[in-house]
Amino acid sequence: MNQTALRQIISTLQQDAELLLQLSPLLQKQYVLMNLRKSAELEQLNQQASVLLELLQQNATERHSAMASLQLQPTSQGFDRLLSILPEKIRDASQQLLDKVQRHTELCQQLNQKNGELLAQQRQLMQNLLGMESKTSYPDMPLG
């Protein structure tokens, strides 16, 4: 087995667990700031979240490459196959790490979904208040 690829997979998963742990409170704060319409603070928070998301994407790309070098797909079946060929001690720790990343990912997805629903509600309210006919049109507003 390619030890370098295995180390890379485990390392990126460990990093992802930490990044997701940082992302979830940002998503919670994002909801509050959107609700309070604090756009300056929201913009700053969104930049922080974007950095974390970019790092998560980089890790996923590295992990996909490492999985490919092991001739495994970067899917749950690929990870199951990988776990099945690991020594028991490494397998158990790796399974716990995968479970942790999955739990944190699901939490972040739920928080993001909640934020998206709030944003949609706010947009609908603005459409209703401004009498906009379609979801993509904006009313004519004077520029000066």
Coordinates of all heavy atoms in Angstrom, one line a residue, residues 52-140:
L52 N -12.1 29.1 4.9 CA -12.3 27.7 5.4 C -12.8 26.8 4.3 O -12.3 25.7 4.1 CB -13.2 27.7 6.6 CG -12.7 28.4 7.8 CD1 -13.8 28.4 8.9 CD2 -11.4 27.9 8.3
L53 N -13.7 27.3 3.5 CA -14.3 26.5 2.4 C -13.3 26.2 1.3 O -13.2 25.1 0.8 CB -15.5 27.2 1.8 CG -16.7 27.2 2.7 CD1 -17.8 28.1 2.2 CD2 -17.3 25.8 3.0
E54 N -12.4 27.2 1.1 CA -11.3 27.0 0.1 C -10.3 25.9 0.6 O -9.9 25.1 -0.2 CB -10.6 28.3 -0.2 CG -9.6 28.2 -1.3 CD -9.0 29.6 -1.6 OE1 -9.7 30.6 -1.7 OE2 -7.7 29.6 -1.7
L55 N -10.0 26.0 1.9 CA -9.1 25.0 2.4 C -9.7 23.6 2.4 O -9.1 22.6 2.1 CB -8.7 25.3 3.9 CG -7.8 26.6 4.0 CD1 -7.7 27.0 5.5 CD2 -6.5 26.3 3.4
L56 N -11.0 23.5 2.7 CA -11.7 22.2 2.6 C -11.7 21.7 1.1 O -11.5 20.5 0.9 CB -13.2 22.4 3.1 CG -13.4 22.5 4.6 CD1 -14.8 23.0 4.9 CD2 -13.1 21.2 5.3
Q57 N -11.9 22.6 0.2 CA -11.8 22.2 -1.2 C -10.4 21.7 -1.6 O -10.3 20.7 -2.3 CB -12.3 23.3 -2.1 CG -12.3 23.0 -3.6 CD -13.2 21.8 -3.9 OE1 -14.3 21.8 -3.5 NE2 -12.7 20.8 -4.7
Q58 N -9.4 22.4 -1.2 CA -8.0 21.9 -1.4 C -7.8 20.5 -0.9 O -7.2 19.7 -1.5 CB -7.0 22.9 -0.9 CG -7.0 24.2 -1.6 CD -6.1 25.3 -0.9 OE1 -5.5 25.0 0.1 NE2 -6.1 26.5 -1.4
N59 N -8.2 20.3 0.4 CA -8.1 19.0 1.0 C -8.8 17.9 0.2 O -8.3 16.8 0.1 CB -8.6 19.0 2.5 CG -7.6 19.8 3.4 OD1 -6.5 20.0 3.0 ND2 -8.1 20.1 4.6
A60 N -10.0 18.2 -0.2 CA -10.8 17.3 -1.0 C -10.0 16.9 -2.3 O -10.0 15.7 -2.7 CB -12.2 17.8 -1.3
T61 N -9.5 17.9 -2.9 CA -8.7 17.7 -4.2 C -7.5 16.8 -3.9 O -7.3 15.8 -4.6 CB -8.3 19.0 -4.8 OG1 -9.4 19.8 -5.1 CG2 -7.5 18.8 -6.1
E62 N -6.8 17.1 -2.8 CA -5.6 16.2 -2.5 C -6.0 14.8 -2.1 O -5.4 13.8 -2.5 CB -4.9 16.9 -1.3 CG -4.1 18.1 -1.6 CD -3.4 18.7 -0.4 OE1 -3.1 17.9 0.5 OE2 -3.3 19.9 -0.3
R63 N -7.1 14.7 -1.4 CA -7.6 13.4 -1.0 C -8.1 12.6 -2.2 O -7.8 11.4 -2.3 CB -8.8 13.6 0.0 CG -9.1 12.4 0.8 CD -10.0 12.6 2.0 NE -11.0 13.6 1.8 CZ -10.9 14.8 2.4 NH1 -9.9 15.2 3.1 NH2 -11.9 15.7 2.2
H64 N -8.7 13.2 -3.2 CA -9.2 12.5 -4.4 C -8.0 12.0 -5.1 O -8.0 10.9 -5.6 CB -10.0 13.4 -5.2 CG -11.4 13.7 -4.7 ND1 -12.3 14.4 -5.4 CD2 -11.9 13.5 -3.5 CE1 -13.4 14.6 -4.6 NE2 -13.2 14.0 -3.5
S65 N -6.9 12.8 -5.2 CA -5.7 12.4 -5.9 C -5.1 11.2 -5.2 O -4.6 10.2 -5.8 CB -4.7 13.6 -6.0 OG -3.5 13.2 -6.5
A66 N -5.0 11.3 -3.9 CA -4.4 10.2 -3.1 C -5.3 8.9 -3.2 O -4.7 7.8 -3.4 CB -4.3 10.6 -1.6
M67 N -6.6 9.1 -3.2 CA -7.4 7.9 -3.4 C -7.2 7.3 -4.8 O -7.2 6.1 -4.9 CB -8.9 8.3 -3.2 CG -9.3 8.7 -1.8 SD -9.4 7.4 -0.7 CE -10.9 6.6 -1.2
A68 N -7.1 8.1 -5.8 CA -6.8 7.7 -7.2 C -5.5 6.9 -7.3 O -5.4 5.9 -8.0 CB -6.9 8.8 -8.2
S69 N -4.5 7.4 -6.5 CA -3.2 6.7 -6.6 C -3.3 5.3 -5.9 O -2.5 4.4 -6.2 CB -2.1 7.5 -5.9 OG -2.3 7.5 -4.5
L70 N -4.3 5.1 -5.1 CA -4.6 3.8 -4.5 C -5.6 3.0 -5.3 O -6.1 1.9 -4.9 CB -5.1 4.0 -3.0 CG -4.1 4.6 -2.1 CD1 -4.8 4.9 -0.7 CD2 -2.9 3.7 -1.9
Q71 N -6.0 3.6 -6.4 CA -7.0 3.0 -7.3 C -8.4 2.8 -6.6 O -9.0 1.8 -6.8 CB -6.5 1.7 -7.9 CG -5.3 1.8 -8.7 CD -4.8 0.5 -9.3 OE1 -5.2 -0.6 -8.9 NE2 -3.8 0.6 -10.2
L72 N -8.7 3.9 -5.8 CA -10.0 3.9 -5.1 C -10.8 5.1 -5.5 O -10.1 6.2 -5.8 CB -9.8 3.9 -3.6 CG -9.1 2.7 -3.0 CD1 -8.7 2.9 -1.6 CD2 -10.0 1.4 -3.1
Q73 N -12.1 5.0 -5.6 CA -12.9 6.2 -5.9 C -13.1 7.0 -4.6 O -13.2 6.4 -3.5 CB -14.3 5.7 -6.4 CG -14.2 5.0 -7.7 CD -13.8 6.0 -8.8 OE1 -14.3 7.1 -8.8 NE2 -12.9 5.5 -9.7
P74 N -13.2 8.3 -4.7 CA -13.4 9.1 -3.5 C -14.9 9.1 -3.1 O -15.5 10.2 -3.0 CB -12.9 10.5 -3.9 CG -13.1 10.5 -5.4 CD -12.9 9.1 -5.9
T75 N -15.4 7.9 -2.8 CA -16.8 7.8 -2.4 C -16.8 7.0 -1.1 O -15.8 6.5 -0.6 CB -17.5 7.0 -3.5 OG1 -16.9 5.7 -3.6 CG2 -17.5 7.7 -4.9
S76 N -18.0 6.9 -0.6 CA -18.1 6.1 0.7 C -17.7 4.6 0.4 O -17.1 4.0 1.3 CB -19.5 6.2 1.2 OG -20.5 5.7 0.3
Q77 N -18.0 4.1 -0.8 CA -17.5 2.7 -1.1 C -16.0 2.7 -1.2 O -15.4 1.7 -0.7 CB -18.2 2.3 -2.4 CG -19.7 2.1 -2.3 CD -20.4 3.3 -2.6 OE1 -19.9 4.4 -2.9 NE2 -21.7 3.3 -2.4
G78 N -15.4 3.7 -1.7 CA -14.0 3.8 -1.8 C -13.3 3.8 -0.4 O -12.3 3.1 -0.1
F79 N -13.9 4.6 0.5 CA -13.4 4.7 1.8 C -13.6 3.4 2.6 O -12.8 3.0 3.4 CB -14.0 5.9 2.6 CG -13.4 7.2 2.3 CD1 -14.0 8.1 1.4 CD2 -12.1 7.5 2.7 CE1 -13.4 9.3 1.1 CE2 -11.5 8.7 2.4 CZ -12.2 9.6 1.6
D80 N -14.8 2.7 2.3 CA -15.0 1.4 2.9 C -14.0 0.4 2.5 O -13.5 -0.4 3.3 CB -16.4 0.9 2.6 CG -17.5 1.7 3.3 OD1 -17.2 2.4 4.3 OD2 -18.7 1.5 2.9
R81 N -13.6 0.5 1.2 CA -12.6 -0.4 0.7 C -11.3 -0.1 1.3 O -10.5 -1.0 1.7 CB -12.5 -0.3 -0.8 CG -11.4 -1.1 -1.5 CD -11.8 -2.6 -1.6 NE -10.7 -3.2 -2.3 CZ -9.8 -4.1 -1.7 NH1 -10.0 -4.4 -0.4 NH2 -8.8 -4.6 -2.3
L82 N -10.9 1.2 1.4 CA -9.7 1.5 2.0 C -9.6 1.1 3.5 O -8.6 0.5 3.9 CB -9.5 3.1 2.0 CG -8.3 3.7 2.7 CD1 -7.0 3.2 2.0 CD2 -8.4 5.2 2.7
L83 N -10.7 1.3 4.2 CA -10.7 0.8 5.6 C -10.5 -0.7 5.8 O -9.9 -1.2 6.7 CB -12.0 1.3 6.3 CG -12.2 2.8 6.6 CD1 -13.6 3.1 7.0 CD2 -11.1 3.3 7.5
S84 N -11.1 -1.4 4.8 CA -11.1 -2.9 4.9 C -9.7 -3.4 4.7 O -9.4 -4.6 5.2 CB -12.0 -3.5 3.9 OG -11.5 -3.4 2.6
I85 N -8.8 -2.7 4.1 CA -7.4 -3.2 3.9 C -6.4 -2.6 4.9 O -5.2 -3.0 4.8 CB -6.9 -2.9 2.4 CG1 -7.0 -1.5 2.1 CG2 -7.8 -3.7 1.5 CD1 -6.4 -1.1 0.7
L86 N -6.9 -1.8 5.8 CA -6.0 -1.2 6.8 C -5.8 -2.2 8.0 O -6.7 -2.9 8.3 CB -6.5 0.1 7.3 CG -6.6 1.3 6.3 CD1 -7.2 2.5 7.0 CD2 -5.2 1.6 5.9
P87 N -4.7 -2.1 8.7 CA -4.5 -2.9 9.9 C -5.6 -2.4 10.9 O -6.0 -1.2 10.9 CB -3.1 -2.5 10.4 CG -2.4 -2.0 9.2 CD -3.4 -1.4 8.3
E88 N -6.0 -3.2 11.8 CA -7.1 -3.0 12.7 C -6.9 -1.7 13.5 O -7.9 -0.9 13.6 CB -7.3 -4.1 13.7 CG -8.5 -4.0 14.6 CD -8.8 -5.2 15.4 OE1 -8.2 -6.2 15.2 OE2 -9.6 -5.0 16.4
K89 N -5.7 -1.4 14.1 CA -5.5 -0.2 14.9 C -5.7 1.0 14.1 O -6.4 2.0 14.5 CB -4.1 -0.3 15.5 CG -3.8 0.8 16.4 CD -2.5 0.7 17.1 CE -2.2 1.8 18.0 NZ -0.9 1.7 18.7
I90 N -5.2 1.0 12.9 CA -5.3 2.2 12.0 C -6.7 2.3 11.5 O -7.3 3.4 11.3 CB -4.3 2.1 10.8 CG1 -2.9 2.2 11.4 CG2 -4.5 3.2 9.8 CD1 -1.8 1.9 10.3
R91 N -7.4 1.2 11.2 CA -8.7 1.1 10.7 C -9.7 1.8 11.7 O -10.5 2.6 11.3 CB -9.2 -0.3 10.4 CG -10.6 -0.4 9.9 CD -11.0 -1.8 9.6 NE -9.8 -2.7 9.5 CZ -9.8 -4.0 10.0 NH1 -10.8 -4.5 10.5 NH2 -8.7 -4.7 10.0
D92 N -9.6 1.4 13.0 CA -10.5 1.9 14.0 C -10.4 3.4 14.1 O -11.4 4.2 14.1 CB -10.3 1.2 15.3 CG -10.7 -0.2 15.3 OD1 -11.4 -0.7 14.4 OD2 -10.3 -1.0 16.2
A93 N -9.1 3.9 14.2 CA -8.9 5.3 14.3 C -9.4 6.1 13.1 O -10.0 7.2 13.2 CB -7.4 5.6 14.6
S94 N -9.1 5.5 11.9 CA -9.5 6.1 10.6 C -11.1 6.2 10.5 O -11.6 7.1 10.0 CB -8.9 5.4 9.4 OG -7.5 5.5 9.5
Q95 N -11.7 5.1 11.0 CA -13.2 5.1 11.0 C -13.8 6.1 11.9 O -14.7 6.8 11.5 CB -13.7 3.7 11.4 CG -15.2 3.6 11.4 CD -15.8 3.7 9.9 OE1 -15.4 2.9 9.1 NE2 -16.6 4.7 9.7
Q96 N -13.2 6.3 13.0 CA -13.6 7.3 14.0 C -13.4 8.7 13.3 O -14.3 9.6 13.5 CB -12.9 7.2 15.3 CG -13.3 6.1 16.1 CD -12.4 5.9 17.4 OE1 -11.6 6.8 17.7 NE2 -12.6 4.8 18.1
L97 N -12.3 8.9 12.7 CA -12.0 10.2 12.0 C -13.0 10.4 10.9 O -13.6 11.5 10.8 CB -10.6 10.2 11.5 CG -10.2 11.5 10.7 CD1 -10.3 12.7 11.7 CD2 -8.7 11.3 10.3
L98 N -13.3 9.4 10.1 CA -14.3 9.6 9.0 C -15.7 9.9 9.6 O -16.4 10.8 9.1 CB -14.4 8.3 8.2 CG -13.4 8.1 7.1 CD1 -13.5 6.7 6.5 CD2 -13.7 9.1 6.0
D99 N -16.0 9.2 10.7 CA -17.3 9.5 11.3 C -17.4 10.9 11.8 O -18.4 11.6 11.7 CB -17.6 8.5 12.5 CG -17.8 7.1 12.0 OD1 -18.0 6.9 10.8 OD2 -17.7 6.2 12.9
K100 N -16.3 11.4 12.4 CA -16.3 12.8 12.9 C -16.4 13.8 11.8 O -17.2 14.7 11.9 CB -14.9 13.0 13.6 CG -14.8 14.4 14.3 CD -13.4 14.4 15.0 CE -13.3 15.8 15.7 NZ -12.0 15.9 16.4
V101 N -15.7 13.6 10.7 CA -15.8 14.5 9.5 C -17.2 14.4 9.0 O -17.8 15.5 8.7 CB -14.8 14.1 8.5 CG1 -15.0 14.9 7.2 CG2 -13.4 14.4 9.0
Q102 N -17.8 13.3 8.9 CA -19.2 13.2 8.4 C -20.2 13.9 9.3 O -21.1 14.6 8.8 CB -19.6 11.7 8.2 CG -20.9 11.5 7.6 CD -21.3 10.1 7.3 OE1 -20.6 9.2 7.7 NE2 -22.4 9.9 6.7
R103 N -20.1 13.7 10.6 CA -21.0 14.4 11.5 C -20.8 15.9 11.4 O -21.8 16.6 11.3 CB -20.7 14.0 13.0 CG -21.2 12.7 13.4 CD -21.2 12.4 14.9 NE -19.9 12.7 15.5 CZ -18.8 11.9 15.6 NH1 -19.0 10.7 15.1 NH2 -17.7 12.3 16.1
H104 N -19.6 16.4 11.4 CA -19.4 17.9 11.2 C -19.9 18.4 9.9 O -20.4 19.5 9.8 CB -17.9 18.2 11.4 CG -17.4 18.1 12.8 ND1 -18.0 18.7 13.9 CD2 -16.3 17.4 13.3 CE1 -17.3 18.4 15.0 NE2 -16.3 17.6 14.7
T105 N -19.7 17.6 8.8 CA -20.2 18.0 7.5 C -21.7 18.1 7.5 O -22.2 19.1 7.0 CB -19.7 17.0 6.4 OG1 -18.2 17.0 6.4 CG2 -20.2 17.3 5.1
E106 N -22.3 17.1 8.1 CA -23.8 17.1 8.1 C -24.3 18.3 8.9 O -25.3 19.0 8.5 CB -24.3 15.8 8.7 CG -24.2 14.6 7.8 CD -24.5 13.3 8.4 OE1 -24.8 13.2 9.6 OE2 -24.4 12.3 7.7
L107 N -23.6 18.6 10.0 CA -24.0 19.8 10.8 C -23.9 21.1 10.0 O -24.8 21.9 10.0 CB -23.2 19.9 12.1 CG -23.4 21.2 13.0 CD1 -24.9 21.3 13.4 CD2 -22.4 21.2 14.1
C108 N -22.8 21.2 9.3 CA -22.5 22.4 8.5 C -23.6 22.5 7.4 O -24.0 23.6 7.1 CB -21.1 22.5 8.0 SG -19.9 22.9 9.3
Q109 N -23.9 21.4 6.8 CA -24.9 21.4 5.7 C -26.3 21.8 6.3 O -27.0 22.6 5.6 CB -25.0 20.0 5.1 CG -23.8 19.7 4.2 CD -23.9 18.2 3.7 OE1 -24.4 17.3 4.3 NE2 -23.2 18.0 2.6
Q110 N -26.6 21.3 7.5 CA -27.9 21.7 8.1 C -27.9 23.2 8.4 O -28.9 23.9 8.2 CB -28.1 20.9 9.4 CG -28.4 19.5 9.1 CD -28.4 18.6 10.4 OE1 -28.1 19.1 11.5 NE2 -28.7 17.4 10.3
L111 N -26.8 23.7 8.9 CA -26.7 25.2 9.2 C -26.8 26.0 8.0 O -27.5 27.0 7.9 CB -25.4 25.5 10.0 CG -25.3 24.9 11.4 CD1 -23.9 25.0 12.0 CD2 -26.4 25.6 12.3
N112 N -26.1 25.6 6.9 CA -26.2 26.3 5.7 C -27.6 26.3 5.1 O -28.0 27.3 4.5 CB -25.1 25.7 4.7 CG -24.9 26.5 3.5 OD1 -24.7 27.7 3.6 ND2 -25.1 25.9 2.3
Q113 N -28.3 25.1 5.2 CA -29.6 25.0 4.7 C -30.5 26.0 5.4 O -31.3 26.7 4.8 CB -30.1 23.6 4.9 CG -31.6 23.4 4.5 CD -31.9 23.5 3.1 OE1 -31.0 23.2 2.3 NE2 -33.0 23.9 2.7
K114 N -30.4 26.1 6.8 CA -31.1 27.0 7.6 C -30.9 28.4 7.1 O -31.8 29.3 7.0 CB -30.8 26.8 9.1 CG -31.5 27.6 10.0 CD -31.1 27.3 11.5 CE -31.6 28.3 12.5 NZ -31.0 28.0 13.8
N115 N -29.6 28.8 6.9 CA -29.2 30.1 6.4 C -29.9 30.4 5.1 O -30.3 31.5 4.8 CB -27.7 30.3 6.4 CG -27.1 30.3 7.8 OD1 -27.8 30.3 8.8 ND2 -25.8 30.2 7.8
G116 N -29.9 29.4 4.2 CA -30.4 29.6 2.9 C -31.9 29.9 3.0 O -32.5 30.7 2.2
E117 N -32.6 29.2 3.9 CA -34.0 29.3 4.0 C -34.3 30.8 4.6 O -35.3 31.4 4.1 CB -34.6 28.3 5.0 CG -34.6 26.9 4.4 CD -34.9 25.8 5.4 OE1 -35.1 26.1 6.6 OE2 -34.9 24.6 5.0
L118 N -33.5 31.2 5.5 CA -33.7 32.6 6.0 C -33.5 33.6 4.9 O -34.3 34.6 4.7 CB -32.7 32.9 7.1 CG -32.7 34.3 7.7 CD1 -34.1 34.7 8.2 CD2 -31.6 34.5 8.7
L119 N -32.5 33.4 4.1 CA -32.2 34.3 3.0 C -33.4 34.3 2.0 O -33.8 35.4 1.5 CB -30.9 33.9 2.3 CG -30.3 34.9 1.3 CD1 -30.0 36.2 1.9 CD2 -29.0 34.3 0.7
A120 N -33.9 33.2 1.7 CA -35.1 33.1 0.8 C -36.3 33.8 1.4 O -37.0 34.5 0.7 CB -35.4 31.6 0.5
Q121 N -36.5 33.6 2.7 CA -37.6 34.3 3.3 C -37.5 35.8 3.3 O -38.4 36.6 3.0 CB -37.7 33.9 4.8 CG -38.2 32.5 5.0 CD -38.1 32.0 6.4 OE1 -37.6 32.7 7.3 NE2 -38.6 30.8 6.7
Q122 N -36.2 36.3 3.5 CA -36.0 37.7 3.4 C -36.2 38.3 2.0 O -36.8 39.3 1.8 CB -34.5 38.0 3.9 CG -34.4 37.8 5.4 CD -32.9 38.0 5.9 OE1 -32.0 38.0 5.1 NE2 -32.8 38.3 7.2
R123 N -35.7 37.5 1.1 CA -35.9 37.9 -0.3 C -37.4 38.0 -0.7 O -37.9 38.9 -1.3 CB -35.2 37.0 -1.3 CG -35.3 37.4 -2.7 CD -34.5 36.5 -3.6 NE -34.7 37.0 -5.0 CZ -33.9 36.7 -5.9 NH1 -32.8 36.0 -5.7 NH2 -34.1 37.2 -7.1
Q124 N -38.2 37.0 -0.3 CA -39.6 36.9 -0.5 C -40.3 38.1 0.1 O -41.1 38.8 -0.5 CB -40.2 35.6 0.0 CG -41.7 35.5 -0.3 CD -42.0 35.5 -1.8 OE1 -41.3 34.8 -2.6 NE2 -43.0 36.2 -2.3
L125 N -39.9 38.5 1.3 CA -40.4 39.6 2.0 C -40.2 40.9 1.2 O -41.1 41.7 1.0 CB -39.9 39.7 3.4 CG -40.3 40.9 4.2 CD1 -41.8 40.9 4.5 CD2 -39.5 41.0 5.6
M126 N -38.9 41.0 0.8 CA -38.6 42.2 0.0 C -39.4 42.3 -1.3 O -39.8 43.4 -1.7 CB -37.1 42.3 -0.3 CG -36.2 42.5 0.9 SD -36.6 44.0 1.8 CE -36.2 45.3 0.6
Q127 N -39.6 41.2 -2.0 CA -40.4 41.1 -3.2 C -41.8 41.6 -2.9 O -42.4 42.3 -3.6 CB -40.4 39.7 -3.8 CG -39.0 39.4 -4.4 CD -39.0 37.9 -4.9 OE1 -39.8 37.1 -4.5 NE2 -38.0 37.6 -5.6
N128 N -42.3 41.1 -1.8 CA -43.7 41.4 -1.4 C -43.8 42.9 -1.1 O -44.8 43.6 -1.5 CB -44.2 40.6 -0.2 CG -44.4 39.1 -0.6 OD1 -44.5 38.7 -1.8 ND2 -44.4 38.2 0.4
L129 N -42.9 43.4 -0.3 CA -42.9 44.8 0.1 C -42.7 45.8 -1.1 O -43.3 46.8 -1.1 CB -41.9 45.1 1.1 CG -42.1 44.5 2.5 CD1 -40.9 44.7 3.4 CD2 -43.4 45.1 3.2
L130 N -41.9 45.4 -2.0 CA -41.6 46.3 -3.2 C -42.5 46.0 -4.4 O -42.3 46.7 -5.4 CB -40.1 46.1 -3.5 CG -39.1 46.5 -2.4 CD1 -37.7 46.2 -2.9 CD2 -39.3 48.0 -2.1
G131 N -43.3 45.0 -4.3 CA -44.2 44.7 -5.4 C -43.5 44.1 -6.6 O -44.0 44.4 -7.7
M132 N -42.5 43.4 -6.4 CA -41.8 42.9 -7.6 C -42.5 41.7 -8.1 O -43.0 40.8 -7.3 CB -40.3 42.5 -7.2 CG -39.5 43.7 -6.7 SD -37.8 43.5 -6.3 CE -37.6 41.8 -5.8
E133 N -42.6 41.6 -9.4 CA -43.4 40.6 -10.0 C -42.7 39.2 -10.2 O -43.2 38.2 -10.0 CB -43.9 41.0 -11.4 CG -44.9 42.2 -11.3 CD -45.4 42.6 -12.7 OE1 -45.3 41.9 -13.6 OE2 -45.9 43.8 -12.7
S134 N -41.4 39.3 -10.5 CA -40.7 38.1 -10.7 C -39.6 38.0 -9.7 O -39.1 39.0 -9.1 CB -40.1 37.9 -12.1 OG -38.9 38.5 -12.2
K135 N -39.1 36.8 -9.5 CA -38.0 36.6 -8.5 C -36.7 37.2 -8.9 O -35.8 37.3 -8.1 CB -37.9 35.1 -8.2 CG -39.1 34.6 -7.5 CD -38.9 33.1 -7.1 CE -40.2 32.6 -6.4 NZ -40.1 31.2 -6.1
T136 N -36.6 37.5 -10.2 CA -35.3 38.0 -10.7 C -35.3 39.5 -11.0 O -34.3 40.1 -11.4 CB -34.8 37.2 -11.9 OG1 -35.8 37.3 -12.9 CG2 -34.6 35.8 -11.5
S137 N -36.5 40.1 -10.9 CA -36.6 41.5 -11.3 C -36.4 42.4 -10.1 O -36.7 42.0 -9.0 CB -37.9 41.8 -12.0 OG -38.9 41.7 -11.1
Y138 N -35.9 43.6 -10.3 CA -35.7 44.6 -9.3 C -36.5 45.9 -9.7 O -36.6 46.2 -10.9 CB -34.2 45.0 -9.1 CG -33.5 43.9 -8.4 CD1 -32.9 42.9 -9.1 CD2 -33.4 43.8 -7.0 CE1 -32.2 41.8 -8.5 CE2 -32.8 42.8 -6.4 CZ -32.1 41.8 -7.1 OH -31.5 40.8 -6.5
P139 N -37.1 46.6 -8.8 CA -37.8 47.8 -9.1 C -36.9 48.9 -9.6 O -35.7 48.9 -9.3 CB -38.5 48.2 -7.8 CG -37.6 47.6 -6.8 CD -37.0 46.3 -7.3
D140 N -37.4 49.7 -10.5 CA -36.7 50.9 -10.9 C -36.5 51.8 -9.7 O -37.4 52.1 -9.0 CB -37.4 51.6 -12.0 CG -37.5 50.8 -13.3 OD1 -36.6 50.0 -13.5 OD2 -38.5 51.0 -14.1

